[in-house]
Tab-separated table of all heavy atoms in Angstrom:
chain	number	residue	atom	x	y	z
A	109	VAL	N	143.115	190.083	20.711
A	109	VAL	CA	142.636	191.467	20.592
A	109	VAL	C	141.421	191.692	21.477
A	109	VAL	O	141.275	192.753	22.109
A	109	VAL	CB	142.296	191.788	19.119
A	109	VAL	CG1	141.626	193.156	19.000
A	109	VAL	CG2	143.550	191.740	18.264
A	137	LEU	N	163.548	202.707	50.804
A	137	LEU	CA	164.637	201.733	50.909
A	137	LEU	C	165.593	201.828	49.716
A	137	LEU	O	166.567	201.079	49.642
A	137	LEU	CB	164.068	200.312	51.004
A	137	LEU	CG	163.305	199.978	52.298
A	137	LEU	CD1	162.667	198.601	52.195
A	137	LEU	CD2	164.244	200.039	53.499
A	159	ALA	N	142.840	188.587	36.800
A	159	ALA	CA	142.678	189.244	35.499
A	159	ALA	C	142.954	188.260	34.360
A	159	ALA	O	142.261	188.255	33.344
A	159	ALA	CB	143.608	190.449	35.405
Side-chain angles (χ1 to χ4, degrees):
V109 173
L137 292 174

